[in-house]
Amino acid sequence: MPLATLDEFVAALHHLPVLPPDWKARLPALRDQFPDVRALGEELIRLGALTPFQADRVARGRAGELVLGGYAVIERLGEGGAGQVYKAWDAEHSRFAALKVLRAELVADPETVGRFHREICVSRGLPPHPNLIATLDAGRVGEAHFLAMEYAEGTDLERLVKQSGPLPVGRACEYARQAALGLQHAHEHGLVHRDVKPSNFLA
């Protein structure tokens, strides 16, 4: 449910680790300059203090979703059948990470949770490979089960084709070759990828 007042919005921001201390010090002055939550949120986005995703979650009274253990959630990158993937900041190691979080509605299903944790165990044991995203961390915070992975800049193949049209044959073959090498490496170490599709390959 959306926050009803500016005071509640500002109070939530004060307790949010993703907002730097210098910005928290500026909040009282900013609060007096804007008539409502939406206007203040838009200003903080414009100034680079919050991302649109963060501002939306705070405005909806869901600021708690922006912190997962030692990770500060920045924006949503995508989603699949079992989980959602977010870009996050790993404060302990001063690096970005991609967080895969099991959907809340699936946490009550022991089979799904077990499959998620088997994926974590196998992926953490994979030796590094240039065509695979590395697993960095995993854990559980409250009811949230998560897998932290290496964050890679770029776009996925599905989005690339939608934006630019069909790829030249040579380029498409090179992407397929790289994907096959990564999948082969994973398979040789006991991991069977259950969701091979263009949106899961980075260009």
Side-chain angles (χ1 to χ4, degrees):
M1 184 157 181
L3 294 180
T5 68
L6 267 173
D7 288 336
E8 290 171 321
F9 184 71
V10 170
L13 290 174
H14 269 295
H15 290 92
L16 198 62
V18 298
L19 194 66
D22 58 327
W23 278 105
K24 291 180 181 181
R26 296 175 62 182
L27 284 175
L30 286 169
R31 183 248 179 274
D32 294 337
Q33 295 176 32
F34 295 93
D36 53 41
V37 168
R38 181 172 181 175
L40 177 55
E42 289 177 348
E43 178 66 4
L44 290 169
I45 293 168
R46 187 187 72 79
L47 293 171
L50 294 176
T51 65
F53 178 82
Q54 291 169 330
D56 176 75
R57 283 299 180 272
V58 178
R60 292 176 184 273
R62 297 164 63 182
E65 296 177 14
L66 298 177
V67 181
L68 191 59
Y71 297 91
V73 177
I74 298 171
E75 61 184 337
R76 188 165 66 181
L77 297 175
E79 56 186 310
Q84 296 177 318
V85 181
Y86 301 91
K87 181 180 180 181
W89 177 250
D90 177 356
E92 181 180 353
H93 300 97
S94 298
R95 65 188 176 190
F96 290 110
L99 288 186
K100 181 177 181 180
V101 183
L102 188 64
R103 289 181 181 277
E105 63 267 26
L106 299 177
V107 170
D109 180 7
E111 183 178 345
T112 300
V113 173
R115 190 183 309 124
F116 186 74
H117 282 278
R118 286 194 295 274
E119 174 189 344
I120 290 172
C121 289
V122 176
S123 62
R124 292 185 81 171
L126 278 178
H129 189 277
N131 298 117
L132 291 177
I133 294 294
T135 295
L136 305 174
D137 186 20
R140 177 179 177 178
V141 178
E143 293 300 311
H145 300 255
F146 71 92
L147 169 65
M149 301 170 287
E150 171 189 5
Y151 174 74
E153 293 284 356
T155 188
D156 62 72
L157 284 180
E158 180 179 46
R159 190 173 303 168
L160 179 64
V161 171
K162 285 181 178 179
Q163 291 173 345
S164 307
L167 301 173
V169 173
R171 189 176 176 190
C173 288
E174 175 58 19
Y175 286 147
R177 183 188 72 84
Q178 292 181 34
L181 289 173
L183 289 169
Q184 179 183 5
H185 179 77
H187 186 265
E188 288 173 349
H189 290 86
L191 177 62
V192 177
H193 200 301
R194 298 175 181 270
D195 198 17
V196 178
K197 58 185 179 183
S199 61
N200 281 336
F201 297 117
L202 291 176

